[in-house]
């Protein structure tokens, strides 16, 4: 059974491939836009550009299962995913595993709509489908630790919202489990870490491990967006990130960690370990 992984050179794609290889799987194909970035994957690769449907048929030839890692270009993903799903059907792919968003059917986050559209496409595709509704990656926040240390505070706009984040490697392990064990067709898995934490908890853990006082400073959404823009983010992206925090304040990033733990056979990565990795 040949498994193809889209976004193979991305953070999540690489971890999924690593996990599959650790299980001894050799029937893998990495789907990439730029083969030059894939030289270290250790598996065959094929060019597959979401925006160039003419590349997708050959890329999916002979593929039995497609690991469709959602695209990274917000605003373009529904069309891109449609191109991949149509090509998968035409190529005779039998099964798709897709990375969606936690509670995508009811999430208020701006990210959710493209996932809802993609899930609808998959439902209508006639293929065997498993949807992995991934919660927030801990790295989405721990990646800001260097800036927090430089500024002497961790800024955000999430209030006391609980964030049921897990490490990216935890979500990759769940994907590997679904790809390599039976009984998942037709399932929609809500995946989240446990226990949930607040940004104040994160700041406290950064302080503990760094030996410095790094408080959490909660800002109004507009002020946080401006701060991100002043730090160099494009205005649209800054507004989106501030919106994610505002969603967190309303509970959009909270969830139950039981399903993720069951799939991977262990608890999700603790916050302390995620902070330690970021400080290393």
């Amino acid at each position: 059974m040949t498994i193809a992984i889209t976004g193979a050179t991305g953070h999540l794609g690489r971890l999924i491939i690593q996990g599959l290889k650790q299980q001894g799987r050799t029937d893998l194909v990495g789907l990439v836009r730029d083969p030059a970035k894939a030289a270290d994957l250790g598996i065959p690769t094929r060019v597959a550009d979401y925006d160039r449907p003419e590349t997708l048929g050959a890329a999916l030839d002979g593929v039995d299962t497609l690991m469709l890692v959602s695209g990274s270009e917000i605003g373009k993903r529904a069309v891109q995913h449609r191109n991949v799903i149509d090509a998968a059907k035409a190529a005779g792919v039998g099964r798709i595993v897709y990375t969606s968003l936690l509670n995508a059917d009811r999430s208020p986050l701006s990210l959710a709509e493209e996932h809802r559209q993609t899930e609808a496409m998959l439902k209508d595709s006639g293929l065997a489908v498993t949807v992995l509704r991934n919660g927030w990656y801990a790295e989405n926040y721990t990646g800001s630790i260097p800036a927090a240390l430089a500024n002497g505070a961790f800024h955000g706009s999430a209030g006391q919202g609980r964030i049921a984040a897990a490490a990216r490697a935890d979500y990759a392990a769940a994907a590997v489990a679904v790809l390599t064990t039976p009984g998942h067709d037709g399932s929609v898995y809500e995946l989240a870490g446990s226990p949930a934490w607040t940004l104040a908890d994160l700041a406290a853990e950064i302080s503990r491990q760094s030996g410095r006082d790094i408080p959490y400073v909660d800002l109004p959404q507009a002020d946080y967006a401006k701060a991100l823009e002043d730090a160099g983010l494009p205005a649209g992206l800054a507004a989106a990130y501030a919106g994610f925090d505002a969603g967190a304040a309303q509970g959009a990033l909270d969830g139950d960690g039981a399903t993720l733990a069951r799939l991977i056979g262990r608890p999700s990565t603790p916050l302390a370990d995620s902070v330690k990795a970021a400080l290393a």
Side-chain angles (χ1 to χ4, degrees), residues 72-150:
S72 60
E73 297 175 278
I74 298 171
K76 298 177 63 175
R77 294 187 294 181
V79 172
Q80 291 174 336
H81 295 165
R82 166 64 74 187
N83 291 340
V84 176
I85 293 166
D86 287 347
K89 290 173 62 179
V93 172
R95 179 187 182 211
I96 295 179
V97 178
Y98 173 65
T99 59
S100 186
L101 177 72
L102 182 67
N103 299 319
D105 55 336
R106 55 186 175 86
S107 174
L109 297 183
S110 59
L111 293 172
E113 180 55 31
E114 288 180 308
H115 288 296
R116 284 192 283 265
Q117 292 176 25
T118 302
E119 288 189 19
M121 296 174 205
L122 289 167
K123 185 176 181 180
D124 291 341
S125 71
L127 304 177
V129 172
T130 307
V131 176
L132 305 177
R133 287 182 173 171
N134 289 352
W136 223 235
Y137 299 148
E139 290 87 349
N140 290 347
Y141 282 116
T142 60
S144 298
I145 288 177
L149 293 172

Side-chain angles (χ1 to χ4, degrees), residues 22-33:
Q22 286 173 347
Q23 290 202 2
R25 301 301 293 251
T26 58
D27 51 350
L28 308 177
V29 175
L31 304 185
V32 300
R33 283 186 175 178

Side-chain angles (χ1 to χ4, degrees), residues 9-67:
T9 59
H11 293 300
L12 184 62
R14 284 180 176 276
L15 288 170
I16 292 171
I17 290 168
Q18 179 183 334
L20 291 167
K21 289 170 66 178
Q22 286 173 347
Q23 290 202 2
R25 301 301 293 251
T26 58
D27 51 350
L28 308 177
V29 175
L31 304 185
V32 300
R33 283 186 175 178
D34 184 358
K37 296 180 180 179
D40 61 340
L41 289 179
I43 63 172
T45 58
R46 300 174 183 174
V47 173
D49 189 329
Y50 292 168
D51 293 319
R52 296 168 56 209
E54 67 273 14
T55 69
L56 299 175
L60 293 169
D61 184 46
V63 169
D64 300 296
T65 296
L66 175 62
M67 179 68 240

